[in-house]
Amino acid sequence: IPINSAMTIKAIAVKAGITDSAVMSESYTIMPQVEKPTANPTSGAVAAGTTVALSTNTAGATIHYTTDGNAPTGSSPVYSTPIPINSAMTIKAIAVKAGMTDSLVMSESYTIMLQAEQPTANPTGGAVAAGTTVALSTNTAGATIHYTTDGNAPTGSSPVYSTPIPVNSAMTIKAIAVKAGMTDSTVMSESYTIMPQAEQPTANPTGGAVAAGTTVALSTNTAGATIHYTTDGNAPTGSSPVYSTPIPVNSAMTIKAIAVLAGMTDSTVMSESYTILPLPQVATPTATPSSGAVLAGTPVTLQTTTPGATIYYTTDGNTPTTSSNVYSTPIPIN
């Protein structure tokens, strides 16, 4: 006789030729049932490492659980601390209390959500030139990258990465990749410092008008730095000619130069422009007396105000050259 509610069973035994038995009377009540446990979080896809807390509203009840798919009994492990989920798992549990029937079986199934791939930075952390830009990316298609530069851990509320991040001072960039239906990536952290900059070269003499053949010496105050230069107007690079000896200036020219040293950013570009000074001209000779009618035999004296100059002359109407007569004494007019 199933007992599904409060009940009294009465019975007699009867046999022919025997008087009926006395009446048996047994009364039954239904034991209360412990309330079924609940799980937080409930079934579904969760991040690896998520912990599941079990509870029951029946005060004083003990929860027994399994994770191997078998039905739990009063001999199953006793729940005491949240259960970590690191792989697909079904947690089954009952609540047990003396004087009460065991609860119904709770069953919650979990799968592990895929995790977005951690972002990467290009360039990676280290000493960089001021103004270097850092590009962030992740191999998880469709993921959004959130980042911080203040040292705090990024969250889904942190700024969204869209364009490379300039580094102008010491900085730590932290970033995560986030995508719906996936757990957030682990945190990327890259720290940057600013490389010192080589000092800009200087030229001696500086730009301006110079005599043809003037040589320009280049130097920098950064010990050990190599100077690279150009004379064709193009910006110098580490592949440009290396300065070793002063540069002759024989025509209009712009010298550009940078100082380069391993472990430092290249210097700013020095630019000095030169023009050629015209050669000084010997003063035109003068004659005493000057042209005109003179007495026969009058001597004509030639002179120039340019010290050390040699005077060449002709008397036949031709233009004098350095092959003409050298003036030394006054020339008589006859």
Side-chain angles (χ1 to χ4, degrees):
I1 303 166
I3 309 296
N4 291 308
S5 60
M7 180 186 292
T8 297
I9 299 175
K10 295 183 178 183
I12 57 171
V14 176
K15 185 175 181 182
I18 298 178
T19 58
D20 295 348
S21 71
V23 176
M24 174 209 83
S25 180
E26 299 287 348
S27 296
Y28 300 88
T29 57
I30 300 299
M31 293 172 63
Q33 187 175 34
V34 180
E35 189 165 331
K36 185 171 80 173
T38 58
N40 184 20
T42 56
S43 296
V46 296
T50 296
T51 57
V52 177
L54 305 182
S55 60
T56 176
N57 287 330
T58 300
T62 300
I63 298 174
H64 296 264
Y65 73 98
T66 63
T67 58
D68 58 6
N70 292 322
T73 68
S75 301
S76 299
V78 173
Y79 170 81
S80 58
T81 57
I83 304 162
I85 309 295
N86 290 302
S87 60
M89 178 186 292
T90 296
I91 299 176
K92 294 184 178 183
I94 56 170
V96 175
K97 185 177 181 181
M100 300 181 75
T101 57
D102 296 349
S103 73
L104 299 175
V105 175
M106 175 212 87
S107 181
E108 300 284 352
S109 295
Y110 301 89
T111 57
I112 299 299
M113 293 172 67
L114 294 175
Q115 186 173 37
E117 189 165 328
Q118 184 188 79
T120 56
N122 185 20
T124 54
V128 297
T132 296
T133 56
V134 177
L136 304 182
S137 61
T138 176
N139 287 330
T140 300
T144 299
I145 296 175
H146 296 264
Y147 73 98
T148 63
T149 58
D150 58 6
N152 292 324
T155 68
S157 301
S158 300
V160 173
Y161 170 80
S162 58
T163 57
I165 304 163
V167 178
N168 290 304
S169 60
M171 175 187 292
T172 295
I173 299 175
K174 295 184 178 183
I176 56 170
V178 175
K179 185 176 181 180
M182 301 181 77
T183 58
D184 296 349
S185 73
T186 53
V187 176
M188 175 212 86
S189 181
E190 298 286 349
S191 295
Y192 300 86
T193 57
I194 299 300
M195 293 170 67
Q197 187 173 36
E199 189 165 327
Q200 185 188 79
T202 57
N204 185 21
T206 55
V210 297
T214 296
T215 56
V216 178
L218 304 182
S219 62
T220 176
N221 286 330
T222 300
T226 299
I227 296 174
H228 296 264
Y229 73 98
T230 62
T231 58
D232 58 5
N234 291 323
T237 68
S239 300
S240 301
V242 173
Y243 171 80
S244 58
T245 57
I247 305 162
V249 178
N250 291 305
S251 60
M253 175 187 293
T254 296
I255 300 175
K256 295 184 179 183
I258 55 171
V260 175
L261 182 64
M264 301 182 78
T265 57
D266 296 349
S267 73
T268 53
V269 176
M270 175 211 87
S271 182
E272 298 287 350
S273 296
Y274 300 87
T275 56
I276 300 300
L277 284 167
L279 290 172
Q281 188 173 32
V282 178
T284 303
T286 57
T288 303
S290 55
S291 297
V294 295
L295 296 173
T298 296
V300 176
T301 300
L302 303 181
Q303 61 184 8
T304 177
T305 59
T306 301
T310 299
I311 298 175
Y312 296 85
Y313 72 97
T314 62
T315 58
D316 58 5
N318 291 321
T319 300
T321 68
T322 54
S323 298
S324 302
N325 297 317
V326 174
Y327 172 81
S328 59
T329 58
I331 306 163
I333 305 297
N334 290 306

